[in-house]
Amino acid sequence: MKIRTLGRHAREGVKNLVRNGWMTFASISAVTITLLILGVFLILAMNVNFFAQNVEKQVEIRVFIDTLATKDNIASLEQKIKSIPKVESVQFIPKDEGLKQLREGMGEKAYLFEGMEKENPLPDAFVVKTRLPQETAAVASEVKKLEFVSSINYGEGTVEKLFVATGAVRNVGIGFIIGLGFTAMFLIANTIKLTIVARRREIEIMKLVGATNWFIRWPFFVEGLLMGILGALIPIVLLIISYHYLVEAINGSLIGSQMFQLLPLFPLVYQVALALLSIGAFIGIWGSLVSVRRFLRV
């Protein structure tokens, strides 16, 4: 296609937007409202997934070492644990450090452990992290068989339920976003269709005087693209401003917990903006081309 012809189609597409002011406004409004709702749920789903990842990262295996183990035995045990394929890291926790961590975890009740430094009842331990949180149980089962392992603790029973819950949350979120996306497509496409139905006589006349199908389609292609992009820009701006104030208001985390940190503004806004612009442009083009097709049969 020649550049001059392409420029003509672009100009016609822009003129059609202005010429059909109220219908254009209705279409862009439909795109804006639908993508705003989609954007809110997209941000929600991304943050819920982030919460789930943070919770899963807290899962670890604490391996308590037999009190009869020598330094050489402990070093050998560490190497054996590291050699397990699914293990990502192994950290040695001396019993003094273990007592310190226990007291810090007790908060206001830390005084209960005062004076225990001289006769520390805790054994030395390893903290083992797996490459994938879901591999925790399998790695724990292998570690348990090793010599000089007194006991292990990884929240058996609770951890499995946690992974089921986080998996369900992710699946529900993905399903909801997909369903809302298809709803947005049909709602916006039908709105754009009304815009084109109102101009069916114009299309029929162009067809009768010899215009090719693609010559007729191109201005509508441009028109749909512009409506989709314009309709996506408003929700993008509103979501960026609203999310920024939300992060500032709650200091980046829910209920003051590091585990429930919100995703940072950047790069979240880039990802959401790209998604909404892509969806808006696609739906605008798709709605225009599908709707105009029925009027090309003269």
Side-chain angles (χ1 to χ4, degrees):
M1 180 182 294
K2 295 181 180 179
I3 299 297
R4 185 181 301 175
T5 305
L6 187 60
R8 179 262 173 198
H9 292 323
R11 287 192 301 272
E12 283 298 312
V14 174
K15 286 180 182 178
N16 288 338
L17 285 178
V18 178
R19 189 183 303 134
N20 300 279
W22 282 110
M23 293 303 295
T24 298
F25 176 76
S27 297
I28 292 177
S29 298
V31 176
T32 298
I33 294 170
T34 310
L35 291 186
L36 180 61
I37 296 172
L38 181 61
V40 169
F41 281 97
L42 182 60
I43 289 176
L44 179 62
M46 292 172 71
N47 273 289
V48 168
N49 184 60
F50 187 58
F51 297 158
Q53 288 178 345
N54 285 339
V55 170
E56 290 174 349
K57 286 178 182 177
Q58 304 303 314
V59 176
E60 61 185 24
I61 306 169
R62 193 164 285 259
V63 182
F64 297 104
I65 305 170
D66 195 315
T67 53
L68 298 177
T70 65
K71 289 184 178 180
D72 290 339
N73 296 145
I74 293 173
S76 175
L77 176 60
E78 182 176 5
Q79 291 304 315
K80 289 177 181 177
I81 296 174
K82 285 181 177 179
S83 68
I84 298 174
K86 297 173 183 177
V87 169
E88 182 179 48
S89 66
V90 179
Q91 181 185 4
F92 177 65
I93 307 292
K95 60 182 181 180
D96 293 338
E97 179 65 24
L99 179 60
K100 181 181 177 181
Q101 291 179 1
L102 181 61
R103 293 181 64 180
E104 290 175 352
M106 293 299 292
E108 295 179 355
K109 296 183 178 181
Y111 68 89
L112 295 173
F113 299 92
E114 289 181 1
M116 296 181 63
E117 290 83 359
K118 294 181 180 180
E119 296 183 9
N120 189 343
L122 299 180
D124 295 328
F126 289 115
V127 172
V128 180
K129 290 276 190 178
T130 57
R131 293 177 182 174
L132 295 175
Q134 291 76 10
E135 296 172 341
T136 301
V139 171
S141 178
E142 292 189 48
V143 172
K144 196 173 184 179
K145 300 174 184 177
L146 298 177
E147 190 178 6
F148 297 109
V149 172
S150 173
S151 62
I152 61 172
N153 181 20
Y154 67 95
E156 186 176 3
T158 303
V159 166
E160 287 81 359
K161 293 176 182 178
L162 171 67
F163 294 145
V164 171
T166 54
V169 167
R170 285 193 179 98
N171 292 335
V172 169
I174 292 171
F176 198 82
I177 291 297
I178 292 173
L180 193 58
F182 277 108
T183 302
M185 287 177 62
F186 286 105
L187 175 61
I188 296 170
N190 285 332
T191 306
I192 294 172
K193 183 177 179 180
L194 293 176
T195 306
I196 297 173
V197 167
R199 292 152 56 193
R200 61 185 180 276
R201 181 165 291 278
E202 175 188 341
I203 298 171
E204 291 170 356
I205 291 172
M206 291 176 68
K207 184 68 175 175
L208 288 171
V209 298
T212 64
N213 288 346
W214 273 107
F215 188 87
I216 297 171
R217 282 191 181 110
W218 268 103
F220 289 102
F221 177 94
V222 173
E223 192 175 344
L225 175 64
L226 292 175
M227 282 193 290
I229 291 175
L230 290 173
L233 289 176
I234 298 173
I236 287 171
V237 172
L238 290 175
L239 289 170
I240 290 174
I241 295 173
S242 301
Y243 192 76
H244 169 71
Y245 280 109
L246 175 63
V247 173
E248 291 290 323
I250 63 175
N251 200 24
S253 64
L254 297 176
I255 62 176
S257 172
Q258 292 296 316
M259 190 178 294
F260 295 101
Q261 284 273 4
L262 291 177
L263 282 165
L265 187 63
F266 301 99
L268 174 68
V269 293
Y270 297 135
Q271 297 167 344
V272 173
L274 180 61
L276 293 186
L277 279 173
S278 301
I279 293 171
F282 171 77
I283 292 174
I285 294 170
W286 176 73
S288 294
L289 294 183
V290 169
S291 301
V292 78
R293 184 175 56 188
R294 61 176 294 191
F295 300 112
L296 295 177
R297 304 187 186 95
V298 179

